Amino acid sequence: MVGFKATDVPPTATVKFLGAGTAACIADLITFPLDTAKVRLQIQGERQGAVRAAASLQYRGVLGTILTMVRTEGPRSLYNGLVAGLQRQMSFASVRIGLYDSVKQFYTKGSEHAGIGSRLLAGGTTGALAVAVAQPTDVVKVRFQAQARAGGGQRYQSTVDAYKTIAREEGFRGLWKGTSPNIARNAIVNCTELVTYDLIKDALLKANLMTDDLPCHFTSAFGAGFCTTIIASPVDVVKTRYMNSALGQYSSAGHCALTMLQKEGPRAFYKGFMPSFLRLGSWNVVMFVTYEQLKRALMAACTSREAPF
């Protein structure tokens, strides 16, 4: 057995809720530069046609984007929006991941056997609920990641300033900009990510290929990250473009998607695919492995505290 040993008592909903938020924050701290590179690649060329955009690319590839940002804006630019990102994960992941098992049990009415339909429903429900709670933090995170420090044209000076400026200039609705594509994205991401992780892990355990420890969690998380990137990438690009857009640039998320298709072609929907995969793959591995270990560590601590001397 690698890592913490599973306890006889299953993790409580509170342990899952806190463990998911903490694990997601740890994963964000490690993979945030990849996420920033993804955002920069996704918004690149949004104000140009396909031909002009191709001729004037500022960022090329994951490593090229990171190196360009470090050279022109400094290493700290890779962590633009980190505070909002951690706020987002603590509220967002706690709901979408931490409550997944509880919602799944609700749909199966307490049955231990959960079909794929129940899992998909649970993933979609917690994903949509998480967006309703954490959307403003996502908007601020994307705005910070998108702004370049070079040239002195920063839109926001701090996280608090970003919240205030968006609310003042765009109204309360500005903080909830892109809610529709974000709900669609996170329903898809949550269903793919959590259900794929669930199914791969169950299959490995039932076939006795692995035991319920770190290698199994690593393999399941990596597979979930790959599947999620392929399915969710187009919605993710539209979400990023729409949330980062100036007031009045797009009338809706659908208009944003149509504009992208007309000006840049279908390939625009997979802009930033490699950093998306590198980020989602690595984020899933760090998050799920940490989450599984945190659940066991917290339950072991609770059990030892309650045990008589």
Side-chain angles (χ1 to χ4, degrees), residues 2-242:
V2 183
F4 286 99
K5 184 180 179 181
T7 59
D8 295 330
V9 181
T12 62
T14 303
V15 165
K16 291 177 183 177
F17 188 84
L18 294 174
T22 305
C25 286
I26 292 169
D28 243 31
L29 280 169
I30 295 171
T31 64
F32 206 79
L34 291 170
D35 193 42
T36 303
K38 177 203 75 172
V39 169
R40 291 292 181 92
L41 284 166
Q42 286 179 338
I43 65 170
Q44 184 168 243
E46 67 178 326
R47 290 180 174 87
Q48 302 170 325
V51 177
R52 286 180 61 199
S56 58
L57 288 179
Q58 182 182 3
Y59 306 115
R60 295 179 184 275
V62 185
L63 183 60
T65 301
I66 291 174
L67 291 176
T68 299
M69 289 180 65
V70 170
R71 187 175 65 252
T72 59
E73 303 170 50
R76 291 181 62 186
S77 64
L78 296 173
Y79 283 89
N80 273 354
L82 178 63
V83 174
L86 295 179
Q87 291 172 352
R88 173 183 179 268
Q89 290 299 352
M90 203 64 218
S91 54
F92 186 74
S94 296
V95 174
R96 79 176 185 92
I97 298 170
L99 297 183
Y100 170 73
D101 286 333
S102 299
V103 175
K104 185 171 67 174
Q105 287 176 358
F106 170 77
Y107 282 125
T108 58
K109 297 179 180 178
S111 172
E112 291 186 4
H113 175 71
I116 191 167
S118 301
R119 298 182 200 220
L120 289 171
L121 277 172
T125 301
T126 57
L129 185 60
V131 173
V133 172
Q135 181 67 8
T137 63
D138 205 11
V139 172
V140 171
K141 178 184 82 78
V142 168
R143 297 282 182 95
F144 257 103
Q145 289 177 311
Q147 74 176 3
R149 293 190 176 186
Q154 286 185 222
R155 298 164 79 179
Y156 314 108
Q157 301 303 316
S158 68
T159 305
V160 175
D161 177 56
Y163 285 115
K164 289 181 178 178
T165 303
I166 294 170
R168 184 177 63 252
E169 294 181 354
E170 303 174 42
F172 183 73
R173 290 179 64 184
L175 289 169
W176 299 90
K177 192 172 188 178
T179 300
S180 296
N182 213 12
I183 285 176
R185 175 195 179 271
N186 283 292
I188 293 169
V189 165
N190 225 37
C191 286
T192 311
E193 194 174 76
L194 295 176
V195 174
T196 304
Y197 179 81
D198 243 2
L199 291 173
I200 293 174
K201 182 181 171 184
D202 285 353
L204 291 172
L205 295 176
K206 285 178 181 177
N208 292 319
L209 296 174
M210 290 183 176
T211 54
D212 192 4
D213 53 16
L214 281 174
C216 176
H217 304 156
F218 180 95
T219 305
S220 304
F222 187 83
F226 181 72
C227 294
T228 304
T229 309
I230 291 174
I231 293 172
S233 210
V235 183
D236 191 36
V237 175
V238 173
K239 181 214 76 167
T240 300
R241 290 281 186 96
Y242 186 59

